[in-house]
Amino acid sequence: MNLRPPLVVDLDGTLVRTDMLHESVFRVLRDNPFYALCIPYWLSRGKAVLKLKLANCTGFDPSSLPYNHDLLDWLKLQRAQGRKLILCTASDRSIATTISEHLDIFEEVIASDGIANLAGKHKAEVLVQRFGHAGFDYAGNSRDDFAVWQCARRGVIVNASEYVVNKSRNCCEVEQVFLSPVLGFTAWRRVLRAHQWLKNLLLFVPFFAAHQITNLDTWFALVLAFFSFSLCASSVYIVNDLLDLESDRQHSRKRHRPFASGLVSAWMGVVLVPLLLLSSLGLAQYVGGTFAPWLLFYFVLTCAYSWVLKRLMLVDCLTLAMLYTLRIVAGAAAASMALSFWLLAFSVFLFLSLAFVKRYAELELQLLNGKQKMHGRGYLTSDAPLVQTLGITSGFAAVLVLALYLNSDAVVQLYRTPEFVWGTVPVMLFWISWMWMKAHRGEMHDDPLIFALKDKSSLLAGLTFTIVLAIGSVGWPW
């Protein structure tokens, strides 16, 4: 007979590396943004009412949550040894019950019920009334759990700060400690998606295309614009990650992102977004020109993409192409240059092709996983051949625009040996064909620009493209 007292397990931040209240808010903002206007009213009626209303507004997939697998394995071992496990949480009962049924290791669920918010001292009172003082062991993670540990026989400390670990030892005997992951430089770099800042080098394209590389004032303005745009982009990436948690968790690679995996708490992202955006706008003021309005337009359009447009078939790819092209437009604004029609047309078709590459790669991945529809998108996996056709056509249209540009008077004015610049056409034909060939073989990263920056053939094509342009600009050295 097992004489050990029941083990009561907290949910938010303990069993799962996230907070279900935060997740419910993000799902409402994403799926039913008008309900967000009701949140202050629901909160005025009590936190338990807020949790109940949010739980009723949205659903979730319990299998995709970022569980603390070290704790979960230990709990399964405890249950196998005959120990009674109880899930006790401040989250709404409907959420707790769904998770409990999915895991199938808990014998009982104690949770908030729309009337009482089961947190802190109230949780302690309920557990003492149910099991008696020191009649249970408790697994928790935060300062709110101190009141519960003071009433428990033993404590299990999970994913807690060093302060909570040390303080909890004064409350009760600690049976087990599950350390929280360390948030180092790499984690914060991934939160900001700093590797995506490479895309913002597109800001310099109009500058180089106009052959103005000796203008030091413009260099300074563009460097400021680069960091301003990068901080703005990072703020939007965080918004996108928070709104797209469930879809990311169903993706083989994106499920490892800091917010989707629970490595970084969602509230940290909420704090970071305004800080990054304000820093971005502050830098934009020093850039001058019409850069700041274009930056704001990029931010608004990206937010619209995250909330709505990414779920609309074809509109999502057109929007992605616009977002890439906006970097070039903003670069021209920062450099106070007129934007060439040829550059704009070339950019739109090229980035539209890359947007279709991105979608095609994702559709192929979903098809390999036996799914008929992309989660959170408007595509069926059967749409992949048509998406491929649209993308290849767009890419070759970009090459056609490039060829027509090379026959214009602007080339004669900008290049000393314009006949050599024609060498860019076969290079672009190769690269577009190469990208689509890799996508067709299932070897494409879901971000084609990141793929290109790591792919040796793409880098060689880029180097060749640059050399050809350089020769066209300065002529042969002999």
Side-chain angles (χ1 to χ4, degrees):
M1 181 177 179
N2 183 25
L3 299 178
R4 299 172 72 186
L7 174 59
V8 180
V9 183
D10 181 39
L11 176 62
D12 301 312
T14 303
L15 182 61
V16 294
R17 298 183 184 275
T18 186
D19 188 298
M20 298 307 295
L21 174 59
H22 298 162
E23 300 238 347
S24 297
V25 171
F26 296 138
R27 282 194 295 272
V28 166
L29 289 173
R30 182 195 64 195
D31 300 332
N32 303 293
F34 291 110
Y35 278 121
L37 301 175
C38 300
I39 290 178
Y41 170 67
W42 292 337
L43 183 59
S44 69
R45 297 172 58 189
K47 210 167 181 179
V49 173
L50 173 65
K51 294 175 180 178
L52 175 63
K53 295 294 185 180
L54 289 174
N56 290 337
C57 288
T58 60
F60 71 99
D61 179 7
S63 65
S64 68
L65 291 175
Y67 293 99
N68 188 325
H69 290 286
D70 290 338
L71 173 65
L72 192 55
D73 291 342
W74 183 75
L75 291 175
K76 290 177 179 178
L77 178 62
Q78 297 298 303
R79 187 173 186 271
Q81 294 174 356
R83 196 170 190 181
K84 183 178 181 180
L85 303 182
I86 296 171
L87 182 62
C88 184
T89 174
S91 289
D92 189 72
R93 179 176 294 277
S94 63
I95 291 176
T97 301
T98 300
I99 293 173
S100 176
E101 291 175 351
H102 168 70
L103 295 177
D104 195 28
I105 61 173
F106 296 103
E107 297 185 30
E108 186 179 346
V109 173
I110 304 174
S112 299
D113 56 4
I115 299 174
N117 182 43
L118 207 67
K121 292 182 179 180
H122 185 62
K123 179 187 284 191
E125 292 170 359
V126 170
L127 291 176
V128 169
Q129 185 178 10
R130 174 76 169 79
F131 303 107
H133 188 83
F136 62 94
D137 295 339
Y138 180 72
N141 72 297
S142 70
R143 301 186 183 199
D144 291 340
D145 295 318
F146 288 148
V148 185
W149 280 318
Q150 289 174 348
C151 302
R153 185 192 69 137
R154 289 180 179 174
V156 178
I157 319 302
V158 184
N159 197 32
S161 65
E162 185 177 352
Y163 171 80
V164 172
V165 172
N166 293 332
K167 186 73 173 179
S168 63
R169 297 185 188 277
N170 298 326
C171 299
C172 64
E173 179 185 348
V174 174
E175 177 179 353
Q176 189 89 2
V177 175
F178 294 89
L179 297 176
S180 59
V182 178
L183 295 181
F185 171 78
T186 300
W188 292 112
R189 177 182 58 80
R190 291 172 59 205
V191 167
L192 298 177
R193 290 205 221 172
H195 64 284
Q196 299 279 11
W197 289 13
L198 292 171
K199 296 178 182 178
N200 300 325
L201 292 174
L202 291 170
L203 290 162
F204 292 84
V205 169
F207 178 60
F208 286 112
H211 296 195
Q212 298 292 318
I213 59 175
T214 58
N215 191 326
L216 296 180
D217 291 337
T218 304
W219 269 107
F220 180 71
L222 283 172
V223 170
L224 284 180
F226 171 82
F227 284 105
S228 174
F229 215 95
S230 297
L231 292 174
C232 179
S234 288
S235 72
V236 181
Y237 289 143
I238 292 174
V239 171
N240 183 73
D241 286 350
L242 294 177
L243 293 177
D244 223 15
L245 289 172
E246 195 164 10
S247 294
D248 285 352
R249 288 168 183 159
Q250 296 185 18
H251 192 279
S252 59
R253 183 184 61 83
K254 294 180 181 180
R255 63 190 176 91
H256 298 298
R257 286 177 173 174
F259 294 112
S261 65
L263 178 64
V264 178
S265 299
W267 69 265
M268 294 183 181
V270 174
V271 172
L272 271 175
V273 168
L275 292 177
L276 291 170
L277 184 59
L278 289 174
S279 300
S280 170
L281 293 175
L283 285 176
Q285 299 306 309
Y286 293 98
V287 176
T290 57
F291 174 75
W294 283 115
L295 179 70
L296 284 173
F297 180 60
Y298 169 84
F299 177 78
V300 171
L301 183 60
T302 311
C303 288
Y305 174 79
S306 297
W307 256 286
V308 179
L309 300 180
K310 71 191 307 181
R311 282 178 276 281
L312 302 179
M313 181 176 58
L314 300 181
V315 174
D316 61 333
C317 290
L318 288 168
T319 305
L320 283 174
M322 288 180 62
L323 290 172
Y324 281 120
T325 306
L326 272 175
R327 289 172 165 88
I328 293 177
V329 175
S336 300
M337 294 178 177
L339 190 62
S340 162
F341 162 79
W342 294 108
L343 179 59
L344 188 60
F346 172 76
S347 301
V348 168
F349 283 114
L350 176 63
F351 295 134
L352 182 59
S353 180
L354 295 180
F356 280 125
V357 165
K358 175 182 176 69
R359 282 293 171 265
Y360 178 79
E362 292 174 345
L363 285 169
E364 287 293 292
L365 180 62
Q366 297 297 316
L367 187 62
L368 288 175
N369 292 333
K371 297 183 179 180
Q372 296 182 342
K373 191 177 187 303
M374 282 185 66
H375 187 275
R377 302 292 187 270
Y379 296 90
L380 303 175
T381 51
S382 58
D383 294 328
L386 179 58
V387 170
Q388 183 183 45
T389 301
L390 293 172
I392 294 174
T393 304
S394 300
F396 287 158
V399 179
L400 178 60
V401 171
L402 175 62
L404 292 173
Y405 164 70
L406 296 178
N407 197 43
S408 68
D409 294 337
V411 174
V412 177
Q413 296 174 4
L414 288 172
Y415 296 92
R416 179 178 295 182
T417 52
E419 61 273 15
F420 285 103
V421 185
W422 274 94
T424 58
V425 173
V427 175
M428 284 301 302
L429 283 172
F430 165 79
W431 185 66
I432 293 293
S433 303
W434 175 260
M435 294 288 281
W436 277 102
M437 183 66 74
K438 300 298 281 186
H440 178 71
R441 292 182 174 182
E443 300 173 7
M444 174 60 63
H445 189 284
D446 56 22
D447 191 324
L449 282 185
I450 299 301
F451 171 84
L453 291 169
K454 297 180 179 180
D455 177 60
K456 292 181 180 179
S457 295
S458 296
L459 292 173
L460 181 60
L463 178 61
T464 305
F465 189 91
T466 303
I467 291 174
V468 170
L469 287 179
I471 293 174
S473 298
V474 302
W476 286 104
W478 54 80

